[in-house]
């Protein structure tokens, strides 16, 4: 009877130790696994593909004007970043035009949505896509100024802010217009340890207004249908911590972990000794 009591008490200790270790190390699967409804997309489903970044106030624009005649282009480039050259590279990944001359100029979009453009003066650009602005300038140039003008517009100031738990924050400079929130978080290092995937907050300023939305990364449908699936300049992405990272770093947690490990070891050794006798 005495041996049975000892073994029973030993079993309780073993179970308690296992429970402590389990509670200190396990996180629910539903909070970690992304895209849990991915099976619903085994048959192709169309998502919005017409997204086009829009110019906002305080943006910095690179406007490239190419022409066979360098002298005609020079008058429109009073803020040259890249001087004209024989190769005619169009800058910003827009391709090349053999035999042409290209200048790349930087223009600041003021708080009212205008840029100051040589000869033409103030041009309202806020809300336009890059292509729409390029077409506008190109059409005006070809109307009596530069008949063979080719214009390209690039955005120099596309960045987003990512704020994570435990001061894991950074500003990302993006190099393409169609950047998804998945790409941005991945570029920032992915979801930090001890962060929620279900309620990522995005703060966006648009047309002079601030609005917010939340994205559930555990559901692919929620992500693909979100208005922030494609990011815009100056978006703020907030990844909320669930407290696990803070607990992991605390002295109390480390003490509990050490004690539970030692206790588990002692219990295991005791079980071996008792079994031997």
């Amino acid at each position: 009877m005495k041996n049975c009591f000892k073994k029973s008490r030993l079993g309780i200790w073993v179970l308690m130790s296992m429970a402590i270790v389990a509670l200190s190390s396990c996180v629910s699967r539903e909070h970690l696994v992304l895209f849990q409804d991915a099976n619903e997309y085994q048959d192709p489903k169309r998502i919005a593909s017409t997204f086009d970044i829009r110019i906002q106030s305080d943006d910095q624009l690179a406007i490239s004007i190419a022409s066979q005649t360098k002298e005609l282009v020079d008058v429109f480039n009073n803020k040259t970043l890249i001087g004209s050259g024989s190769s005619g590279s169009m800058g910003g990944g827009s391709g090349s035009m053999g035999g042409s001359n290209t200048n790349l100029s930087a223009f600041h979009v003021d708080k009212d949505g205008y840029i100051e453009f040589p000869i033409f003066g103030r041009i309202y650009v806020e809300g336009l896509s890059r292509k729409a602005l390029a077409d506008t300038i190109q059409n005006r140039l070809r109307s009596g100024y530069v008949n063979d003008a080719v214009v390209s517009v690039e955005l120099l100031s596309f960045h987003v802010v990512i704020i994570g738990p435990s001061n894991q924050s950074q500003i990302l400079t993006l190099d393409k217009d169609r950047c998804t929130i998945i790409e941005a978080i991945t570029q920032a290092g992915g979801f930090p340890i001890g962060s929620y995937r279900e309620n990522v907050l995005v703060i966006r300023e648009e047309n002079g207004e601030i609005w917010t939305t939340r994205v559930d990364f555990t559901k692919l449908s929620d992500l693909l249908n979100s208005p922030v699936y494609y990011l815009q300049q100056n978006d703020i992405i907030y990844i909320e911590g669930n407290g696990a990272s803070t607990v992991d770093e605390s002295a109390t947690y480390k003490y509990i972990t050490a004690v539970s490990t030692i206790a588990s070891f002692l219990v295991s050794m005791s079980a071996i000794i008792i079994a031997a006798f």
Side-chain angles (χ1 to χ4, degrees):
M1 179 68 70
K2 189 174 181 180
N3 287 337
C4 290
F5 177 74
K6 287 183 178 179
K7 290 182 178 180
S8 176
R9 187 167 58 181
L10 178 61
I12 293 173
W13 275 103
V14 171
L15 291 174
M16 289 179 61
S17 300
M18 292 175 64
I20 291 173
V21 173
L23 289 173
S24 64
S25 61
C26 293
V27 178
S28 175
R29 178 180 181 278
E30 67 180 7
H31 297 300
L32 294 177
V33 179
L34 306 181
F35 318 138
Q36 295 176 28
D37 59 347
N39 287 338
E40 298 177 10
Y41 287 80
Q42 290 180 345
D43 295 326
K45 290 181 173 62
R46 184 173 297 277
I47 64 173
S49 58
T50 57
F51 175 81
D52 206 350
I53 202 76
R54 301 290 168 168
I55 298 170
Q56 299 179 9
S57 60
D58 288 331
D59 279 347
Q60 298 290 330
L61 304 177
I63 301 178
S64 170
I65 305 173
S67 171
Q68 295 288 344
T69 308
K70 177 181 180 297
E71 291 75 15
L72 294 178
V73 173
D74 283 346
V75 69
F76 294 98
N77 290 277
N78 61 346
K79 300 178 181 179
T80 302
L81 297 178
I82 300 177
S84 60
S86 59
S87 63
S89 173
M90 286 290 289
S94 298
S96 62
M97 299 187 61
S100 63
N101 290 294
T102 302
N103 289 300
L104 190 64
S105 299
F107 296 89
H108 174 256
V109 183
D110 66 25
K111 63 182 180 61
D112 297 318
Y114 288 87
I115 62 171
E116 287 287 346
F117 198 80
I119 308 298
F120 300 153
R122 282 163 60 84
I123 300 177
Y124 187 74
V125 300
E126 187 171 10
L128 296 178
S129 66
R130 293 187 301 109
K131 183 179 185 307
L133 176 57
D135 289 345
T136 297
I137 296 176
Q138 182 172 291
N139 290 337
R140 294 185 67 172
L141 285 171
R142 290 186 176 186
S143 299
Y145 293 94
V146 186
N147 293 333
D148 65 342
V150 177
V151 179
S152 175
V153 177
E154 301 294 336
L155 186 64
L156 299 178
S157 55
F158 191 2
H159 64 265
V160 298
V161 178
I162 298 183
I163 303 174
S166 301
N167 297 320
Q168 299 179 51
S169 304
Q170 57 183 297
I171 298 177
L172 293 182
T173 300
L174 306 177
D175 58 2
K176 62 178 184 176
D177 290 357
R178 290 168 60 88
C179 180
T180 69
I181 189 173
I182 301 173
E183 293 176 279
I185 291 178
T186 301
Q187 186 175 332
F191 284 95
I193 296 175
S195 62
Y196 285 115
R197 276 75 165 165
E198 307 97 321
N199 60 342
V200 175
L201 176 67
V202 177
I203 304 171
R204 174 171 291 177
E205 180 180 356
E206 197 170 34
N207 299 322
E209 298 179 340
I210 297 288
W211 59 274
T212 66
T213 188
R214 292 187 180 271
V215 184
D216 185 352
F217 273 79
T218 67
K219 296 179 181 177
L220 188 58
S221 57
D222 188 77
L223 179 62
L224 296 178
N225 293 319
S226 172
V228 295
Y229 178 67
Y230 290 110
L231 296 175
Q232 295 183 10
Q233 56 271 56
N234 305 316
D235 279 353
I236 299 173
I237 303 170
Y238 174 55
I239 303 174
E240 182 180 355
N242 59 21
S245 58
T246 304
V247 172
D248 288 347
E249 297 168 359
S250 67
T252 301
Y253 177 83
K254 292 177 181 178
Y255 175 76
I256 293 174
T257 302
V259 170
S260 64
T261 302
I262 294 172
S264 297
F265 174 76
L266 293 176
V267 169
S268 299
M269 291 301 297
S270 299
I272 294 173
I273 294 172
I274 292 173
F277 290 95

